[in-house]
């Protein structure tokens, strides 16, 4: 990852770097609106957006392991009052001891999951960043930008997440040239088999596969051009 640099006073509210990110957890720049989130890598030949959505969770209500919302599974009469008295008498309680007295092992809680990777291929892009490359997150606006010059053409990308609009948007611009369409999408998840989607809807992965050509389920050219089936939503998911 390029080192974060303060260029001048106009960049005091921006984090910016001189090379693409190699790790989503430590280097990619985040955007999000509370429900949708993405990390922008800033790669040149194939831009990568690792994205997620708040309902993609492995546990919680309906979990096969029996999620209990953290409630006690058996009565514990007087346990809370005893802990309060001990706190009053000693002034403090060891966290491990308090957890043992009042808590219980988590069951069916689950974990937040990544939804997948969206790739934006840019034919003819330079293979490595040069001195003109800049990848930045504007703290005031929440916009991630990637800019570089290649063969005397200035290329600019901008990504942001809208809270009122409930979407993530991106714009790639340059005086000439264009990227590949539609962009491919890859996800490590399979469509649910035990709980099919309600009538008239489709699973999120199916929607994205249908609209973007998901790499986890290749589709023919005719399928991409076909109108949505009766079970699919009439509008593409953002």
């Amino acid at each position: 990852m390029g080192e974060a640099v303060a260029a001048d006073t106009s960049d005091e509210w921006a984090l910016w770097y001189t090379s693409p990110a190699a790790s989503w957890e430590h280097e990619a720049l985040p955007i999000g609106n509370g429900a949708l989130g993405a990390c922008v890598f800033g790669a040149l030949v194939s831009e990568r957006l690792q994205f997620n959505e708040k309902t993609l969770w492995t546990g919680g209500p309906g979990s096969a392991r029996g999620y209990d919302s953290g409630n006690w599974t058996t009565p514990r009469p007087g346990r809370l009052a005893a802990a309060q008295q001990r706190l009053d008498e000693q002034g403090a309680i060891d966290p491990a001891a308090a957890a043992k007295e009042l808590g219980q092992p988590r069951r069916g809680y689950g974990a937040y999951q990544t939804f997948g990777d969206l790739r934006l291929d840019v034919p003819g892009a330079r293979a490595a960043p040069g001195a003109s490359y800049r990848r930045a997150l504007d703290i005031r606006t929440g916009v991630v930008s990637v800019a570089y010059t290649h063969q005397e053409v200035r290329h600019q990308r901008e990504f942001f997440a809208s809270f009122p609009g409930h979407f993530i948007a991106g714009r790639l611009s340059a005086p000439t040239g264009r990227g590949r369409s539609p962009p491919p999408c890859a996800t490590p998840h399979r469509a649910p088999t035990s709980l099919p989607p309600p009538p008239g809807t489709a699973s999120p992965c199916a929607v994205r596969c249908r609209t973007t050509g998901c790499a986890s389920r290749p589709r023919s050219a005719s399928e991409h051009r076909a109108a949505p089936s009766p079970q699919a939503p009439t509008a593409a998911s953002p």
Side-chain angles (χ1 to χ4, degrees), residues 12 19 26 44 54 100 103 114 131 160 163 168 191 195-197 207-208 223 233 238:
E12 61 181 354
S19 63
H26 300 105
L44 296 174
K54 68 177 182 179
K100 182 178 180 180
T114 180
F160 72 94
F163 175 74
I168 289 175
L195 295 175
V207 172
R208 284 163 175 77
E223 287 180 299

Side-chain angles (χ1 to χ4, degrees), residues 75-189:
R76 301 183 185 184
R79 191 70 65 87
L80 181 59
Q84 291 173 332
Q85 181 178 356
R86 182 178 174 184
L87 181 61
D88 291 338
E89 294 174 350
Q90 301 179 5
I93 300 179
D94 179 72
K100 182 178 180 180
E101 290 294 319
L102 302 177
Q104 63 183 3
R106 290 191 301 183
R107 184 178 66 184
Y109 182 75
Y112 201 25
Q113 299 294 295
T114 180
F115 208 124
D117 288 324
L118 180 68
R119 297 281 184 171
L120 302 173
D121 294 340
V122 183
R126 62 186 305 162
S132 65
Y133 180 92
R134 174 179 163 123
R135 176 173 60 94
L137 168 62
D138 190 315
I139 302 298
R140 281 181 291 205
T141 63
V143 174
V144 168
S145 61
V146 179
Y148 62 93
T149 300
H150 180 48
Q151 296 179 347
E152 300 183 352
V153 175
R154 189 63 175 169
H155 297 260
Q156 180 82 20
R157 306 174 193 168
E158 296 171 293
F159 303 94
F160 72 94
S162 169
F163 175 74
H166 308 291
F167 62 77
I168 289 175
R171 177 174 63 182
L172 283 69
S173 60
T176 59
R178 62 181 182 178
R180 187 179 69 183
S181 179
C185 163
T187 176
H189 305 285

Side-chain angles (χ1 to χ4, degrees), residues 7-85:
D8 51 49
T9 55
S10 64
D11 293 307
E12 61 181 354
W13 292 103
L15 300 174
W16 65 277
Y17 306 87
T18 57
S19 63
S23 163
W24 74 265
E25 187 173 11
H26 300 105
E27 301 180 6
L29 294 174
I31 53 176
N33 60 14
L36 293 168
C39 287
V40 182
F41 282 68
L44 296 174
V45 176
S46 181
E47 177 64 276
R48 175 187 175 191
L49 275 73
Q50 181 276 328
F51 66 98
N52 54 20
E53 195 272 339
K54 68 177 182 179
T55 61
L56 191 57
W57 193 269
T58 59
S63 169
R65 297 183 60 194
Y67 180 65
D68 52 26
S69 301
N71 297 321
W72 290 343
T73 55
T74 56
R76 301 183 185 184
R79 191 70 65 87
L80 181 59
Q84 291 173 332
Q85 181 178 356

